[in-house]
Coordinates of all heavy atoms in Angstrom, one line a residue:
P1 N 110.5 100.2 117.4 CA 111.6 99.3 117.6 C 112.7 99.8 118.5 O 113.3 99.1 119.2 CB 112.2 99.1 116.2 CG 111.0 99.5 115.3 CD 110.2 100.4 116.0
D2 N 113.0 101.2 118.5 CA 114.0 101.7 119.3 C 113.4 102.3 120.6 O 114.1 102.9 121.4 CB 114.8 102.8 118.6 CG 114.0 104.0 118.2 OD1 112.8 104.1 118.5 OD2 114.6 104.8 117.5
G3 N 112.1 102.2 120.8 CA 111.4 102.7 122.0 C 111.1 104.2 122.0 O 110.5 104.7 123.0
S4 N 111.4 104.9 120.9 CA 111.1 106.3 120.9 C 109.7 106.6 120.4 O 109.2 107.7 120.6 CB 112.1 107.0 120.0 OG 111.9 106.6 118.6
T5 N 109.0 105.6 119.8 CA 107.6 105.9 119.3 C 106.7 104.8 119.8 O 107.0 103.6 119.7 CB 107.7 105.8 117.7 OG1 108.6 106.8 117.3 CG2 106.3 106.2 117.2
L6 N 105.5 105.2 120.2 CA 104.4 104.3 120.6 C 103.4 104.2 119.5 O 102.9 105.3 119.0 CB 103.7 104.7 121.9 CG 104.6 104.9 123.1 CD1 103.8 105.5 124.3 CD2 105.2 103.5 123.5
A7 N 102.9 103.0 119.1 CA 101.8 102.9 118.1 C 100.6 102.5 118.9 O 100.6 101.6 119.7 CB 102.2 101.8 117.1
V8 N 99.5 103.3 118.7 CA 98.2 103.2 119.4 C 97.1 103.0 118.4 O 96.9 103.9 117.6 CB 98.0 104.4 120.3 CG1 96.6 104.2 121.0 CG2 99.1 104.6 121.3
G9 N 96.4 101.9 118.4 CA 95.3 101.6 117.5 C 94.0 101.8 118.2 O 93.9 101.5 119.4
L10 N 93.0 102.3 117.5 CA 91.7 102.6 118.1 C 90.6 101.7 117.5 O 90.7 101.3 116.4 CB 91.3 104.1 117.9 CG 92.3 105.1 118.5 CD1 91.9 106.5 118.2 CD2 92.5 104.9 120.0
G11 N 89.6 101.4 118.3 CA 88.5 100.6 117.8 C 87.6 100.3 118.9 O 87.7 100.8 120.0
G12 N 86.6 99.3 118.6 CA 85.7 98.9 119.7 C 84.5 99.8 119.8 O 84.2 100.2 120.9
R13 N 83.9 100.1 118.7 CA 82.7 101.1 118.8 C 81.6 100.5 119.7 O 81.3 99.3 119.6 CB 82.2 101.2 117.3 CG 81.0 102.1 117.3 CD 80.4 102.2 115.9 NE 81.2 101.6 114.9 CZ 81.1 101.9 113.6 NH1 80.2 102.7 113.2 NH2 81.8 101.3 112.7
A14 N 81.1 101.3 120.5 CA 79.9 101.0 121.3 C 78.7 100.9 120.4 O 78.6 101.6 119.5 CB 79.7 102.0 122.4
E15 N 77.8 100.0 120.8 CA 76.6 99.8 120.0 C 75.8 101.1 119.9 O 75.6 101.8 120.8 CB 75.7 98.7 120.7 CG 74.4 98.5 119.9 CD 74.2 97.0 119.7 OE1 75.0 96.2 120.0 OE2 73.1 96.8 119.1
G16 N 75.5 101.4 118.6 CA 74.7 102.6 118.3 C 75.5 103.9 118.2 O 74.9 104.9 117.9
S17 N 76.8 103.8 118.5 CA 77.6 105.1 118.4 C 78.2 105.1 117.0 O 78.4 104.1 116.3 CB 78.6 105.1 119.5 OG 79.6 104.2 119.3
D18 N 78.6 106.3 116.6 CA 79.4 106.5 115.4 C 80.7 107.1 115.7 O 80.9 108.3 115.6 CB 78.6 107.4 114.4 CG 79.2 107.5 113.1 OD1 80.0 106.6 112.7 OD2 79.0 108.5 112.4
C19 N 81.6 106.3 116.1 CA 83.0 106.7 116.6 C 83.8 107.0 115.3 O 84.2 106.1 114.6 CB 83.6 105.7 117.5 SG 85.2 106.2 118.0
K20 N 84.2 108.2 115.1 CA 85.0 108.6 113.9 C 86.4 108.1 114.1 O 87.1 108.0 113.1 CB 84.9 110.1 113.7 CG 83.5 110.5 113.3 CD 83.5 112.0 112.8 CE 82.1 112.5 112.6 NZ 81.3 111.8 111.6
A21 N 86.9 107.8 115.3 CA 88.2 107.4 115.5 C 88.4 105.9 115.2 O 89.6 105.5 115.1 CB 88.6 107.7 117.0
M22 N 87.3 105.2 115.1 CA 87.5 103.8 114.8 C 88.2 103.5 113.5 O 88.0 104.2 112.5 CB 86.1 103.2 114.7 CG 86.1 101.7 114.6 SD 84.5 101.1 114.9 CE 84.5 99.5 114.3
G23 N 89.2 102.6 113.6 CA 90.0 102.3 112.4 C 91.1 103.2 112.2 O 91.8 103.2 111.2
S24 N 91.4 104.0 113.2 CA 92.6 104.9 113.1 C 93.7 104.5 114.0 O 93.4 103.7 115.0 CB 92.2 106.4 113.4 OG 91.8 106.5 114.7
F25 N 94.9 104.9 113.7 CA 95.9 104.7 114.7 C 96.9 105.9 114.7 O 96.9 106.7 113.8 CB 96.7 103.4 114.4 CG 97.4 103.3 113.1 CD1 98.8 103.8 113.0 CD2 96.8 102.8 111.9 CE1 99.4 103.7 111.8 CE2 97.5 102.8 110.7 CZ 98.8 103.2 110.7
H26 N 97.6 106.0 115.8 CA 98.4 107.1 116.0 C 99.8 106.7 116.5 O 99.9 105.7 117.2 CB 97.8 108.0 117.1 CG 96.4 108.4 116.8 ND1 96.0 109.4 115.9 CD2 95.2 107.8 117.2 CE1 94.7 109.5 115.8 NE2 94.2 108.5 116.6
L27 N 100.8 107.4 116.0 CA 102.2 107.2 116.5 C 102.5 108.3 117.4 O 102.3 109.5 117.1 CB 103.2 107.1 115.3 CG 103.0 106.0 114.4 CD1 104.1 106.0 113.3 CD2 102.9 104.7 115.0
L28 N 102.9 108.0 118.7 CA 103.2 109.0 119.7 C 104.6 109.0 120.0 O 105.3 108.0 120.1 CB 102.4 108.7 120.9 CG 100.9 108.5 120.8 CD1 100.3 108.2 122.2 CD2 100.2 109.7 120.2
N29 N 105.2 110.2 120.3 CA 106.5 110.4 120.8 C 106.5 109.8 122.2 O 105.7 110.2 123.1 CB 106.9 111.8 120.8 CG 108.3 112.1 121.4 OD1 108.6 111.7 122.5 ND2 109.1 112.7 120.6
A30 N 107.3 108.8 122.5 CA 107.3 108.1 123.8 C 107.6 109.0 124.9 O 107.1 108.8 126.0 CB 108.2 106.8 123.7
A31 N 108.5 109.9 124.7 CA 108.9 110.8 125.8 C 107.9 111.9 126.2 O 107.6 112.2 127.3 CB 110.2 111.5 125.4
T32 N 107.2 112.4 125.1 CA 106.2 113.5 125.4 C 104.8 113.1 125.2 O 103.9 113.9 125.6 CB 106.5 114.7 124.4 OG1 106.2 114.2 123.1 CG2 107.9 115.1 124.5
L33 N 104.5 112.0 124.6 CA 103.2 111.5 124.2 C 102.4 112.4 123.3 O 101.2 112.3 123.1 CB 102.3 111.2 125.5 CG 102.8 110.2 126.5 CD1 101.9 110.0 127.6 CD2 103.1 108.9 125.8
E34 N 103.2 113.2 122.6 CA 102.6 114.1 121.5 C 102.4 113.2 120.2 O 103.2 112.3 119.9 CB 103.5 115.2 121.2 CG 103.6 116.3 122.3 CD 104.4 117.4 122.0 OE1 104.8 117.6 120.8 OE2 104.8 118.2 122.9
T35 N 101.4 113.5 119.5 CA 101.1 112.7 118.3 C 102.1 113.2 117.2 O 102.2 114.3 116.9 CB 99.6 113.0 117.8 OG1 98.7 112.6 118.8 CG2 99.3 112.2 116.5
A36 N 102.8 112.2 116.6 CA 103.7 112.4 115.5 C 103.0 112.1 114.2 O 103.2 112.9 113.2 CB 104.9 111.5 115.7
T37 N 102.1 111.1 114.1 CA 101.5 110.7 112.9 C 100.1 110.2 113.3 O 100.0 109.4 114.3 CB 102.3 109.7 112.1 OG1 103.5 110.2 111.9 CG2 101.6 109.3 110.8
S38 N 99.1 110.5 112.5 CA 97.8 109.9 112.6 C 97.3 109.3 111.3 O 97.5 110.0 110.2 CB 96.7 110.9 113.1 OG 97.0 111.3 114.4
V39 N 96.8 108.1 111.3 CA 96.3 107.5 110.0 C 94.9 107.0 110.2 O 94.7 106.3 111.2 CB 97.3 106.3 109.6 CG1 96.8 105.6 108.4 CG2 98.7 106.9 109.4
S40 N 94.0 107.3 109.3 CA 92.6 106.8 109.4 C 92.2 106.2 108.0 O 91.6 106.9 107.2 CB 91.7 107.9 109.7 OG 92.0 108.5 111.0
D41 N 92.7 105.0 107.7 CA 92.4 104.4 106.4 C 91.2 103.5 106.3 O 90.8 103.2 105.3 CB 93.7 103.6 106.0 CG 94.8 104.5 105.4 OD1 94.5 105.7 105.2 OD2 95.9 104.0 105.3
F42 N 90.7 103.0 107.5 CA 89.7 102.0 107.4 C 88.7 102.2 108.5 O 88.9 103.0 109.5 CB 90.3 100.6 107.4 CG 91.6 100.5 108.2 CD1 91.6 100.3 109.5 CD2 92.8 100.7 107.5 CE1 92.8 100.3 110.2 CE2 94.0 100.7 108.2 CZ 94.0 100.4 109.5
R43 N 87.6 101.4 108.5 CA 86.5 101.6 109.5 C 86.5 100.4 110.5 O 85.6 100.4 111.4 CB 85.2 101.7 108.8 CG 85.1 103.0 108.0 CD 83.7 103.4 107.6 NE 82.7 103.2 108.6 CZ 82.4 104.1 109.5 NH1 83.0 105.3 109.5 NH2 81.4 103.9 110.4
D44 N 87.4 99.5 110.4 CA 87.3 98.3 111.3 C 88.1 98.6 112.6 O 89.0 99.5 112.6 CB 88.0 97.1 110.6 CG 87.3 96.7 109.3 OD1 86.1 96.7 109.3 OD2 88.0 96.4 108.4
S45 N 87.7 97.9 113.6 CA 88.5 98.0 114.9 C 89.9 97.5 114.7 O 90.0 96.4 114.0 CB 87.8 97.3 116.0 OG 86.6 97.9 116.3
I46 N 90.9 98.1 115.3 CA 92.2 97.6 115.2 C 92.4 96.6 116.4 O 92.2 96.9 117.5 CB 93.2 98.7 115.2 CG1 93.1 99.6 114.0 CG2 94.7 98.2 115.4 CD1 93.9 100.8 113.9
L47 N 92.9 95.4 116.0 CA 93.1 94.4 117.0 C 94.5 94.2 117.5 O 94.8 93.9 118.6 CB 92.6 93.0 116.5 CG 91.1 92.9 116.1 CD1 90.8 91.5 115.6 CD2 90.2 93.2 117.3
A48 N 95.5 94.5 116.6 CA 96.9 94.3 116.9 C 97.7 95.1 116.0 O 97.3 95.4 114.8 CB 97.3 92.8 116.8
M49 N 98.9 95.5 116.5 CA 99.9 96.3 115.7 C 101.3 95.7 116.0 O 101.5 95.4 117.2 CB 99.8 97.8 116.0 CG 98.5 98.4 115.7 SD 98.3 100.1 116.3 CE 99.3 100.9 115.1
Q50 N 102.1 95.6 115.0 CA 103.5 95.1 115.3 C 104.4 95.7 114.3 O 104.2 95.7 113.1 CB 103.5 93.6 115.1 CG 104.8 92.9 115.3 CD 105.2 92.9 116.7 OE1 104.4 92.6 117.6 NE2 106.5 93.3 117.0
Y51 N 105.6 96.2 114.8 CA 106.7 96.7 113.9 C 107.4 95.5 113.4 O 107.6 94.5 114.1 CB 107.6 97.6 114.7 CG 107.1 99.0 114.9 CD1 106.6 99.4 116.2 CD2 107.2 100.0 113.9 CE1 106.2 100.7 116.4 CE2 106.7 101.3 114.2 CZ 106.2 101.6 115.4 OH 105.8 102.9 115.6
S52 N 108.0 95.6 112.2 CA 109.0 94.6 111.7 C 110.2 94.8 112.5 O 110.5 95.8 113.1 CB 109.2 94.9 110.2 OG 109.8 96.1 110.0
P53 N 111.1 93.7 112.5 CA 112.3 93.8 113.3 C 113.2 95.0 113.0 O 113.9 95.5 113.9 CB 113.0 92.5 113.0 CG 111.9 91.6 112.7 CD 110.9 92.4 112.0
D54 N 113.2 95.4 111.7 CA 114.1 96.5 111.3 C 113.4 97.9 111.5 O 114.0 98.9 111.3 CB 114.6 96.4 109.9 CG 113.5 96.4 108.9 OD1 112.3 96.6 109.2 OD2 113.8 96.2 107.7
G55 N 112.1 97.9 111.9 CA 111.4 99.1 112.2 C 110.9 99.8 110.9 O 110.4 100.9 111.1
C56 N 111.1 99.2 109.8 CA 110.6 99.9 108.5 C 109.2 99.7 108.2 O 108.6 100.5 107.5 CB 111.5 99.4 107.4 SG 113.2 99.9 107.5
L57 N 108.5 98.7 108.7 CA 107.1 98.4 108.4 C 106.4 98.3 109.7 O 106.9 97.9 110.7 CB 107.0 97.1 107.7 CG 107.6 97.0 106.3 CD1 107.5 95.5 105.7 CD2 107.0 98.0 105.3
L58 N 105.1 98.7 109.6 CA 104.2 98.5 110.7 C 103.0 97.7 110.2 O 102.3 98.1 109.2 CB 103.7 99.9 111.3 CG 102.7 99.8 112.4 CD1 103.3 99.2 113.7 CD2 102.1 101.2 112.7
A59 N 102.7 96.6 110.8 CA 101.5 95.7 110.4 C 100.4 96.1 111.3 O 100.6 96.2 112.6 CB 101.9 94.3 110.6
V60 N 99.2 96.3 110.7 CA 98.0 96.7 111.5 C 96.9 95.7 111.2 O 96.5 95.5 110.0 CB 97.5 98.1 111.1 CG1 96.3 98.5 111.9 CG2 98.6 99.1 111.4
A61 N 96.5 94.9 112.2 CA 95.5 93.9 112.0 C 94.1 94.4 112.4 O 94.0 94.9 113.5 CB 95.8 92.6 112.7
C62 N 93.1 94.2 111.6 CA 91.7 94.6 111.9 C 90.8 93.5 112.2 O 91.1 92.3 111.8 CB 91.2 95.4 110.8 SG 92.2 96.9 110.4
D63 N 89.6 93.8 112.8 CA 88.7 92.7 113.1 C 88.0 92.1 111.9 O 87.3 91.1 112.0 CB 87.7 93.1 114.2 CG 86.7 94.2 113.8 OD1 86.9 94.8 112.6 OD2 85.9 94.6 114.5
S64 N 88.2 92.7 110.8 CA 87.6 92.2 109.5 C 88.5 91.0 109.0 O 88.1 90.3 108.1 CB 87.6 93.2 108.4 OG 88.9 93.6 108.1
G65 N 89.7 90.8 109.6 CA 90.6 89.8 109.1 C 91.7 90.4 108.2 O 92.6 89.6 107.8
A66 N 91.6 91.6 107.9 CA 92.6 92.2 107.0 C 93.8 92.7 107.8 O 93.7 93.0 109.0 CB 92.0 93.5 106.3
V67 N 95.0 92.6 107.2 CA 96.2 93.1 107.8 C 96.8 94.1 106.8 O 97.0 93.8 105.6 CB 97.2 91.9 108.0 CG1 98.6 92.5 108.5 CG2 96.7 90.9 109.0
Y68 N 97.1 95.3 107.2 CA 97.7 96.3 106.4 C 99.1 96.5 106.8 O 99.5 96.5 108.0 CB 96.9 97.6 106.7 CG 95.4 97.6 106.3 CD1 94.5 97.1 107.2 CD2 95.0 98.0 105.1 CE1 93.2 97.0 106.9 CE2 93.6 97.9 104.8 CZ 92.7 97.5 105.7 OH 91.4 97.4 105.4
L69 N 100.0 96.7 105.8 CA 101.4 97.0 106.1 C 101.7 98.4 105.6 O 101.4 98.8 104.5 CB 102.3 96.0 105.3 CG 102.1 94.5 105.7 CD1 103.0 93.7 104.8 CD2 102.5 94.3 107.1
Y70 N 102.3 99.2 106.5 CA 102.7 100.5 106.2 C 104.2 100.7 106.3 O 104.9 100.1 107.1 CB 102.1 101.5 107.3 CG 100.6 101.6 107.2 CD1 99.8 100.7 107.8 CD2 100.0 102.6 106.4 CE1 98.4 100.8 107.7 CE2 98.7 102.7 106.3 CZ 97.9 101.8 107.0 OH 96.5 101.9 106.8
N71 N 104.7 101.5 105.3 CA 106.1 101.8 105.2 C 106.3 103.0 106.2 O 106.1 104.2 105.8 CB 106.5 102.1 103.8 CG 107.9 102.5 103.6 OD1 108.7 102.6 104.6 ND2 108.3 102.8 102.4
V72 N 106.8 102.8 107.4 CA 107.0 103.8 108.3 C 108.3 104.6 108.1 O 108.5 105.7 108.6 CB 107.0 103.4 109.8 CG1 105.6 102.8 110.1 CG2 108.0 102.3 110.1
A73 N 109.2 104.0 107.3 CA 110.4 104.7 107.0 C 110.2 105.8 105.9 O 111.0 106.6 105.7 CB 111.5 103.7 106.5
G74 N 109.1 105.7 105.1 CA 108.8 106.6 104.1 C 107.8 107.6 104.5 O 107.7 108.1 105.6
D75 N 106.8 107.9 103.6 CA 105.8 108.9 103.8 C 104.7 108.4 104.7 O 103.8 109.2 105.1 CB 105.2 109.4 102.5 CG 104.5 108.3 101.7 OD1 104.3 107.2 102.2 OD2 104.1 108.6 100.6
F76 N 104.6 107.1 105.0 CA 103.7 106.5 105.9 C 102.2 106.5 105.5 O 101.5 105.7 105.9 CB 103.7 107.1 107.3 CG 103.4 106.2 108.4 CD1 104.4 105.5 109.0 CD2 102.1 106.0 108.8 CE1 104.1 104.6 110.0 CE2 101.8 105.1 109.8 CZ 102.8 104.4 110.4
A77 N 101.9 107.3 104.5 CA 100.5 107.4 104.1 C 100.1 106.2 103.2 O 98.9 105.9 103.1 CB 100.2 108.7 103.4
S78 N 101.1 105.6 102.5 CA 100.8 104.6 101.6 C 100.9 103.2 102.1 O 101.8 102.9 102.9 CB 101.7 104.7 100.3 OG 103.0 104.5 100.8
K79 N 99.9 102.4 101.8 CA 99.9 101.0 102.3 C 100.8 100.2 101.4 O 100.8 100.4 100.2 CB 98.5 100.4 102.2 CG 97.5 100.8 103.2 CD 96.2 100.1 103.1 CE 95.3 100.7 102.2 NZ 94.3 101.5 102.6
K80 N 101.7 99.4 101.9 CA 102.5 98.5 101.1 C 101.7 97.4 100.4 O 101.8 97.2 99.3 CB 103.6 97.8 102.0 CG 104.7 98.7 102.4 CD 105.7 99.0 101.3 CE 106.8 98.0 101.3 NZ 107.8 98.3 100.4
C81 N 100.8 96.8 101.2 CA 99.9 95.8 100.7 C 98.8 95.5 101.7 O 98.9 95.9 102.8 CB 100.6 94.5 100.3 SG 101.3 93.7 101.7
V82 N 97.8 94.8 101.2 CA 96.7 94.4 102.1 C 96.5 92.9 102.0 O 96.5 92.4 100.9 CB 95.4 95.1 101.7 CG1 94.2 94.6 102.6 CG2 95.5 96.6 101.8
I83 N 96.5 92.2 103.1 CA 96.3 90.8 103.2 C 95.0 90.5 103.8 O 94.7 90.9 104.9 CB 97.4 90.1 104.0 CG1 98.8 90.5 103.5 CG2 97.3 88.6 104.0 CD1 99.9 90.3 104.4
S84 N 94.1 89.8 103.1 CA 92.7 89.5 103.7 C 92.7 88.1 104.1 O 93.3 87.2 103.5 CB 91.7 89.7 102.6 OG 91.6 91.1 102.3
A85 N 92.0 87.8 105.2 CA 91.9 86.5 105.7 C 91.0 85.6 104.8 O 90.1 86.1 104.1 CB 91.2 86.5 107.1
L86 N 91.4 84.4 104.7 CA 90.6 83.5 103.9 C 89.3 83.0 104.6 O 89.4 82.7 105.8 CB 91.4 82.2 103.5 CG 92.7 82.5 102.8 CD1 93.5 81.2 102.6 CD2 92.4 83.1 101.4
S87 N 88.2 82.9 103.9 CA 87.0 82.4 104.5 C 87.0 80.9 104.5 O 87.5 80.3 103.6 CB 85.8 82.9 103.8 OG 86.0 83.9 103.0
S88 N 86.5 80.3 105.6 CA 86.4 78.9 105.6 C 85.1 78.3 105.3 O 84.1 79.0 105.2 CB 86.8 78.4 107.0 OG 86.2 79.1 108.0

């Protein structure tokens, strides 16, 4: 939110490969590009990431339809909640 941190999500496994980085995301210092935090909670490709307007939460959307919310103001390791897409 203040431009000091970049959120980078990984995914898009190539057919037949076993990419261990899939489903992980990293927060980088925008000035140095050094990794400040790495999280690997799931195996789905990450499609989108968005900070809340106040910068306290980070939403991470996966190709499974799930959206994970992380408390970036706290310890960051704990998910606030998981929202799954409804099947039609």
Side-chain angles (χ1 to χ4, degrees):
D2 64 4
S4 65
T5 305
L6 300 173
V8 179
L10 302 177
R13 177 183 354 197
E15 178 129 358
S17 71
D18 185 24
C19 179
K20 296 188 186 301
M22 187 162 162
S24 67
F25 64 91
H26 307 276
L27 298 183
L28 308 177
N29 177 305
T32 65
L33 297 181
E34 291 182 15
T35 301
T37 303
S38 293
V39 177
S40 298
D41 280 347
F42 29 86
R43 295 193 44 84
D44 301 319
S45 293
I46 294 174
L47 300 179
M49 300 172 71
Q50 179 71 45
Y51 283 103
S52 63
D54 64 3
C56 291
L57 296 175
L58 178 65
V60 179
C62 299
D63 66 357
S64 67
V67 176
Y68 299 84
L69 296 176
Y70 289 87
N71 178 1
V72 296
D75 64 3
F76 210 90
S78 61
K79 287 184 274 259
K80 286 281 269 189
C81 66
V82 177
I83 305 164
S84 294
L86 300 174
S87 341
S88 48

